[in-house]
Amino acid sequence: MAAAALREQLNALLASMFASGLVDEQFQQLQMLQDDGSTPGFVAEVVTLFCDDADRIISELAALLEQPVVDFDKVDAYVHQLKGSSASIGAQKVKFTCMQFRQLCQDKNRDGCIMALAVVRNEFYDLRNKFQTMLQLEQQIQAQQ
Amino acid sequence: MAVATETPFHVLAVDDSLPDRKLIERLLKTSSFQVTTVDSGSKALEFLGIHGEDSSPPVSVHEDQLEVAVNLIITDYCMPGMTGYDLLKKIKESTSLRDIPVVIMSSENIPSRINRCLEEGADEFFLKPVRLSDMSKLKPHILKSRCKEHYQQEQHQQSDSSSNECSNTTNSSSSSENSNSRKRKAEDNEEVLPQTNRSRHS
């Protein structure tokens, strides 16, 4: 496919990610830092690190919430971590869900936490899919040049 | 005062989150800083040359022992084990490190936390996520501490030269004259440089 068509696809994808609130201006900061020219793979790197980190945290959360007695302090600590890294890369939806999740931890609401985890997981998977498409398109565009 | 512009300033960044470390590293490098990142407070202290952080008398490290000079430390607040606040305290307890400016980062906007850090000697507090515009706030702190350091070195040299007066004739007499006039200036300007160590000028 021609580079121009690929670029159009990429731009449309990014526009929808911003419009739907999936990512916010912090993600633009990341793009800006890459566009500065010296580190072409920066966004790919940070996004990948975030996804690996989030995956790990979500697994830990699932394990903690399966326990007969839930350690809400530990759960809260992990959610805080996920909230922090999602804010740093501009993953707005995930960040907002984490904020609600933390409230449920503080209320020691086990069922609420389990539901919040399900929401975070789905939002994260959706975001990850879009990131993967974004990176693939970027690679294809690069390959054309 | 000539400030070396060729060697970039070196920042030590401390954060337990890998994506955050990547981000702060890129932000700093884009702003022309040389960067070292570590993932914990204890690793930061190791890098800075302090060992056995649990011992009560703080180990004083001579600046020459630091292989690479660190001009500023930027640390996350919430870290497992040693928090950014704990790290800040250790740095301020060390006679050789206490003048290195420290910036604390946190994703939580808690006024009591911010005040506590500033009272303990933090030079700046950044709310996460950190952005490129925040980087421009770092250099003033580095330059300020360098001015202070340069002034303190001058004071030290003056007190050394005045004590060596007997052994070394011509050099010390002219320099002690200068140091006397600088002494007076320092005292006049007391309100500008409140950290003048009066006990040296006897």
Side-chain angles (χ1 to χ4, degrees):
Chain A
M1 206 191 269
L6 287 170
R7 204 173 278 287
E8 228 179 83
Q9 257 192 295
L10 177 58
N11 288 340
L13 172 61
L14 288 169
S16 78
M17 284 168 76
F18 280 105
S20 63
L22 200 55
V23 294
D24 60 25
E25 68 265 10
Q26 182 64 13
F27 187 69
Q28 275 173 341
Q29 280 275 312
L30 299 189
Q31 291 174 308
M32 240 172 58
L33 287 169
Q34 174 167 294
D35 291 344
D36 144 281
S38 48
T39 42
F42 175 65
V43 175
E45 200 184 355
V46 184
V47 156
T48 306
L49 288 175
F50 166 73
C51 289
D52 291 345
D53 206 42
D55 225 359
R56 173 190 61 92
I57 291 173
I58 288 171
S59 301
E60 302 274 8
L61 286 170
L64 285 169
L65 289 169
E66 275 168 19
Q67 300 300 311
V69 181
V70 174
D71 186 341
F72 286 102
D73 288 338
K74 276 201 182 143
V75 175
D76 185 60
Y78 276 119
V79 178
H80 172 74
Q81 264 184 55
L82 183 57
K83 184 192 130 220
S85 53
S86 57
S88 291
I89 68 146
Q92 189 177 243
K93 249 194 196 165
V94 172
K95 179 186 79 174
F96 283 151
T97 306
C98 286
M99 283 162 71
Q100 294 165 345
F101 199 156
R102 284 199 83 190
Q103 191 52 57
L104 294 161
C105 288
Q106 277 147 36
D107 297 340
K108 301 207 193 299
N109 182 339
R110 189 205 178 120
D111 288 342
C113 285
I114 291 172
M115 271 174 50
L117 178 59
V119 172
V120 151
R121 193 191 260 117
N122 284 339
E123 287 179 348
F124 167 63
Y125 287 165
D126 178 39
L127 178 63
R128 186 169 60 179
N129 284 340
K130 300 221 159 67
F131 276 152
Q132 280 167 352
T133 307
M134 177 189 87
L135 294 178
Q136 272 164 26
L137 285 169
E138 278 182 356
Q139 275 172 9
Q140 286 173 304
I141 292 169
Q142 291 258 324
Q144 298 265 345
Q145 286 164 350
Chain B
M1 180 183 74
V3 177
T5 45
E6 287 98 20
T7 322
F9 291 131
H10 182 206
V11 177
L12 175 65
V14 191
D15 201 317
D16 61 314
S17 157
L18 186 46
D20 283 11
R21 265 201 314 284
K22 259 299 137 190
L23 176 62
I24 193 72
E25 180 187 54
R26 178 90 320 260
L27 287 170
L28 288 164
K29 283 187 172 165
T30 298
S31 311
S32 308
F33 291 103
Q34 191 191 333
V35 189
T36 299
T37 58
V38 292
D39 64 6
S40 71
S42 44
K43 293 222 181 108
L45 291 176
E46 230 178 270
F47 184 81
L48 293 162
I50 300 182
H51 300 280
E53 64 264 7
D54 291 331
S55 56
S56 0
V59 178
S60 177
V61 178
H62 195 274
E63 223 171 80
D64 290 349
Q65 285 173 22
L66 278 176
E67 287 185 11
V68 189
V70 170
N71 302 114
L72 185 136
I73 298 160
I74 183 164
T75 177
D76 189 25
Y77 183 93
C78 269
M79 296 188 291
M82 193 185 295
T83 65
Y85 178 76
D86 299 329
L87 176 60
L88 169 67
K89 278 184 76 176
K90 298 266 181 211
I91 290 165
K92 293 302 170 190
E93 281 165 12
S94 158
T95 44
S96 58
L97 301 178
R98 70 159 77 105
D99 289 328
I100 303 178
V102 180
V103 173
I104 309 273
M105 305 179 279
S106 176
S107 56
E108 293 173 305
N109 191 354
I110 301 173
S112 57
R113 171 182 294 184
I114 298 172
N115 286 330
R116 199 159 69 114
C117 289
L118 296 174
E119 277 166 20
E120 192 58 42
D123 292 80
E124 185 88 52
F125 191 98
F126 286 164
L127 210 48
K128 279 179 157 185
V130 183
R131 339 188 76 209
L132 201 52
S133 52
D134 292 323
M135 298 294 101
S136 59
K137 300 178 190 165
L138 299 178
K139 207 161 118 177
H141 291 301
I142 296 176
L143 295 176
K144 196 171 68 182
S145 81
R146 280 206 154 177
C147 281
K148 203 165 73 174
E149 192 189 306
H150 184 87
Y151 177 76
Q152 283 170 352
Q153 276 176 9
E154 278 187 358
Q155 296 296 306
H156 201 268
Q157 282 162 18
Q158 286 161 37
S159 61
D160 278 355
S161 60
S162 53
S163 62
N164 286 338
E165 222 174 311
C166 302
S167 49
N168 206 336
T169 50
T170 34
N171 284 346
S172 63
S173 55
S174 53
S175 57
S176 64
E177 259 176 31
N178 285 338
S179 66
N180 278 334
S181 59
R182 273 193 217 150
K183 243 194 286 184
R184 265 182 256 119
K185 255 197 197 161
E187 283 160 11
D188 287 339
N189 292 339
E190 223 173 61
E191 73 280 357
V192 177
L193 295 158
Q195 297 206 7
T196 306
N197 190 346
R198 298 262 242 145
S199 58
R200 286 201 187 135
H201 309 303
S202 53

